[in-house]
Amino acid sequence: MKSLEDLKKMREEALKKVEMREGDKEYRVVVGMATCGIAAGARPVLNRLVEETAEKNYNCAVTQTGCIGMCVYEPIVEVYGKDGEHTTYVKVTPDMATEILEKHIGQGEIIEEYTVEAARSGQGE
Amino acid sequence: MMEDLAMHILEILMNSIHACAKNIKFIVQDSTINDKISMSVEDDGKGMSSEQVQKISSPFMTGRSTRKVGLGVAFLKGLTEQCNGDFLVESEVGKGTRVLASVQKSFIDTPPMGNLGEIIMECIQANEEIDYIFHYMTDTNEFVFNTKEIKKELDGVSILEPSILLWIKDYVNQQVNMIKEDEG
Ligand SMILES: Nc1ncnc2c1ncn2[C@@H]1O[C@H](COP(=O)(O)OP(=O)(O)OP(=O)(O)O)[C@@H](O)[C@H]1O
Ligand SMILES: [Mg+2]
């Protein structure tokens, strides 16, 4: 049974993690959660990102934004690095979200084939 | 996509979030005696003029520039009509908005409640600054969840920590289910 008492322990654990990390989180992972995103399946993607980040303690904050203005590419996940560089992943599924965390956040490797640029050039062919 | 009540309500909650609300009150009354599920969302956001309120439930009214049709409010209104319920929007510019929707509980086409813990988590996750009171009532029982209390307990740790968000989702669902089971 969960109770508000749990929060004390969770607070301690969260503080420990912050100390280990020394400072801000390195990445910001942003999910488009407007109606267009939600209709395209953004909710399971967001839920997966939160679950995996909690479980594996990835060095990122998971946040959301409204309409990104590219409804046909939803669900969209944007990854912002500390230096302001950013990558836009499109038509993201929960499993792709897991992979993005593993490769991009975990190892610093962009997954080119999932980016909006790849999707656009694929359409041009 | 729109297969449960929670999903519809998420749209209404998102409207409150986008209307720059600081406090959002979300009430669900699940009554077997009245054979009715009522849901209300009340915010202290920017509000609407009476003209806007009149237009709001027509499917052609949207504040969105990237897509022509607003779905949120019109869809929910349509659903309440299909399910023998009521729909009401009250709003005042600069004060806030209250959306009230109800459906007949035992009606065959009334969708299931859906995952309330999940939509609450998704709303909290949208903006740390907004506070929520979630009130869930049955004929004999109630559960109140207040993010101000949670933030006080967390004392400096962000409510957006993924582990905290997950806990909130599970906690809310657990409490809601407990109350429902009590009901028998
Ligand atoms: N709580 C609220 N406070 C202020 N204005 C609101 C509120 N809810 C709705 N509105 C106004 O009513 C409009 C219609 O809302 P609706 O949810 O139907 O469509 P939308 O939000 O514009 O688009 P969509 O939900 O499809 O992304 C909004 O654009 C907004 O101007
Ligand atoms: Mg809306």
Side-chain angles (χ1 to χ4, degrees):
Chain A
M1 216 36 225
K2 291 191 181 339
S3 80
L4 291 179
E5 285 297 303
D6 304 342
L7 288 171
K8 290 199 173 61
K9 208 173 127 217
M10 298 181 70
R11 177 176 178 272
E12 308 272 289
E13 278 166 14
L15 285 174
K16 252 185 248 157
K17 280 185 200 165
V18 173
E19 263 169 45
M20 268 163 52
R21 200 167 51 223
E22 292 178 5
D24 282 347
K25 293 179 176 174
E26 192 166 349
Y27 292 97
R28 212 156 48 85
V29 179
V30 184
V31 186
M33 283 282 283
T35 302
C36 46
I38 290 173
R43 294 178 66 206
V45 170
L46 176 74
N47 275 274
R48 180 72 73 88
L49 288 168
V50 171
E51 279 160 21
E52 294 270 313
T53 304
E55 188 184 322
K56 310 234 166 76
N57 199 15
Y58 284 116
N59 194 356
C60 64
V62 180
T63 62
Q64 48 175 281
T65 183
C67 188
I68 298 169
M70 300 189 289
C71 302
V72 289
Y73 290 119
E74 297 278 3
I76 297 176
V77 172
E78 294 181 295
V79 177
Y80 291 83
K82 252 189 180 156
D83 311 323
E85 78 275 14
H86 103 271
T87 310
T88 303
Y89 293 110
V90 299
K91 296 191 176 172
V92 178
T93 62
D95 287 345
M96 284 163 72
T98 299
E99 219 182 312
I100 289 166
L101 287 173
E102 228 170 71
K103 298 233 171 79
H104 195 145
I105 310 304
Q107 296 159 27
E109 277 170 37
I110 293 173
I111 310 173
E112 299 291 346
E113 55 181 304
Y114 295 165
T115 60
V116 66
E117 289 81 11
R120 279 193 178 128
S121 65
Q123 273 177 358
E125 277 164 14
Chain B
M1 274 315 279
M2 293 284 185
E3 69 283 83
D4 59 46
L5 296 175
M7 275 197 82
H8 281 273
I9 286 295
L10 178 62
E11 289 290 322
I12 303 302
L13 289 162
M14 290 269 174
N15 283 346
S16 294
I17 293 170
H18 296 145
C20 307
K22 286 276 160 260
N23 295 281
I24 300 175
K25 196 169 179 181
F26 170 33
I27 305 172
V28 177
Q29 274 176 292
D30 186 339
S31 170
T32 310
I33 292 175
N34 298 325
D35 190 20
K36 191 160 145 175
I37 301 174
S38 318
M39 300 155 289
S40 82
V41 174
E42 209 177 316
D43 70 52
D44 59 356
K46 67 180 185 212
M48 285 173 278
S49 66
S50 47
E51 202 183 20
Q52 268 179 303
V53 171
Q54 269 181 5
K55 274 198 249 163
I56 190 175
S57 40
S58 118
F60 303 107
M61 154 94 170
T62 173
R64 189 172 292 307
S65 47
T66 46
R67 209 190 55 237
K68 288 253 158 53
V69 183
L71 294 177
V73 177
F75 256 56
L76 180 57
K77 183 173 183 244
L79 182 86
T80 60
E81 282 162 5
Q82 279 165 33
C83 301
N84 301 331
D86 294 303
F87 184 80
L88 177 73
V89 180
E90 293 170 332
S91 191
E92 198 177 323
V93 174
K95 281 258 167 69
T97 302
R98 179 162 171 260
V99 177
L100 211 150
S102 69
V103 291
Q104 185 188 352
K105 188 172 167 159
S106 66
F107 189 63
I108 185 139
D109 287 339
T110 296
M113 192 66 242
N115 194 329
L116 290 170
E118 195 168 299
I119 62 168
I120 286 168
M121 181 197 93
E122 286 160 357
C123 287
I124 293 173
Q125 212 258 351
N127 183 345
E128 190 172 9
E129 309 279 307
I130 302 177
D131 277 305
Y132 295 87
I133 293 175
F134 169 55
H135 201 152
Y136 184 88
M137 282 173 268
T138 61
D139 292 320
T140 53
N141 247 318
E142 64 179 333
F143 161 60
V144 182
F145 174 82
N146 185 340
T147 54
K148 281 209 172 99
E149 270 171 37
I150 305 290
K151 285 175 184 169
K152 204 169 134 204
E153 289 288 334
L154 288 173
D155 186 18
V157 166
S158 168
I159 198 167
L160 299 189
E161 276 298 321
S163 55
I164 308 283
L165 287 170
L166 282 186
W167 179 88
I168 290 174
K169 175 169 92 171
D170 293 344
Y171 175 68
V172 167
N173 281 335
Q174 204 172 61
Q175 298 293 321
V176 166
N177 287 335
M178 208 169 64
I179 287 178
K180 272 193 188 157
E181 273 163 29
D182 248 28
E183 199 80 345

